[in-house]
Amino acid sequence: MRFSKILLIFLVFSIFAFAGSYKDLYPLLVDISGWEAEKAKGGEFVSPQGKIISVERSYQKGEKSLTVTILKGPVASAMGSTFAYVQEIDTPEEYVKVFKIGKYKAGLSHNKRDNSGSIVVILGNSSVINMEYHNISYKDAEELIKKFPLDRIAHKLSQL
């Protein structure tokens, strides 16, 4: 009986010892050839709506810049919900579309006047990767987001 109690206590503590951390996402914000990048930063936050995990990294190449954020929690759920209403909008000022990157649903919002915007990729029920970009065409931005290991990020988020 004593042995089974010790085994149970060991198993419970082992689960917590191997539980993931937001810091496990840092290496998934990969270096991009030709771009200077800051160190990744992030945290876990508890709100009345639930736990939020957020990590981000900023990149610079001359006048071009982008910030990539991985999010899990209620904020990520809300970001993905906007894709249900729009498929494509094209005006002189903006271009918006819903599309797929591999198996993931994505949304693009591009401001034509300042050549900037964002791409949100839904990685799970409450998980997204978001890339905000400046001085970059939306086609180049689409290619940049594909440089991130989306499957590995989605898998890691499912463990957190």
Side-chain angles (χ1 to χ4, degrees), residues 45-56:
F45 313 92
V46 178
S47 74
Q49 292 76 32
K51 181 176 165 181
I52 300 166
I53 296 171
S54 175
V55 299
E56 75 175 30

Side-chain angles (χ1 to χ4, degrees), residues 52-67:
I52 300 166
I53 296 171
S54 175
V55 299
E56 75 175 30
R57 190 172 187 198
S58 295
Y59 301 79
Q60 189 82 32
K61 182 178 183 180
E63 296 295 314
K64 300 176 183 182
S65 66
L66 54 103
T67 300

Side-chain angles (χ1 to χ4, degrees), residues 6-117:
I6 292 171
L7 181 61
L8 180 61
I9 291 169
F10 174 76
L11 289 174
V12 169
F13 283 111
S14 295
I15 290 168
F16 290 115
F18 293 107
S21 163
Y22 68 91
K23 293 177 183 177
D24 296 338
L25 296 167
Y26 288 174
L28 302 175
L29 292 173
V30 297
D31 291 334
I32 302 172
S33 180
W35 290 74
E36 295 291 323
E38 296 178 1
K39 290 177 92 173
K41 57 186 175 187
E44 294 180 1
F45 313 92
V46 178
S47 74
Q49 292 76 32
K51 181 176 165 181
I52 300 166
I53 296 171
S54 175
V55 299
E56 75 175 30
R57 190 172 187 198
S58 295
Y59 301 79
Q60 189 82 32
K61 182 178 183 180
E63 296 295 314
K64 300 176 183 182
S65 66
L66 54 103
T67 300
V68 179
T69 307
I70 299 171
L71 284 168
K72 180 175 181 159
V75 174
S77 297
M79 290 175 80
S81 67
T82 59
F83 299 156
Y85 304 105
V86 175
Q87 288 300 308
E88 187 169 21
I89 298 171
D90 193 0
T91 70
E93 294 84 26
E94 69 180 329
Y95 180 60
V96 176
K97 73 174 180 174
V98 174
F99 63 109
K100 286 203 140 205
I101 297 177
K103 64 184 177 186
Y104 302 105
K105 192 172 189 178
L108 168 92
S109 177
H110 181 76
N111 182 311
K112 292 179 180 179
R113 294 191 193 274
D114 63 5
N115 212 22
S116 67

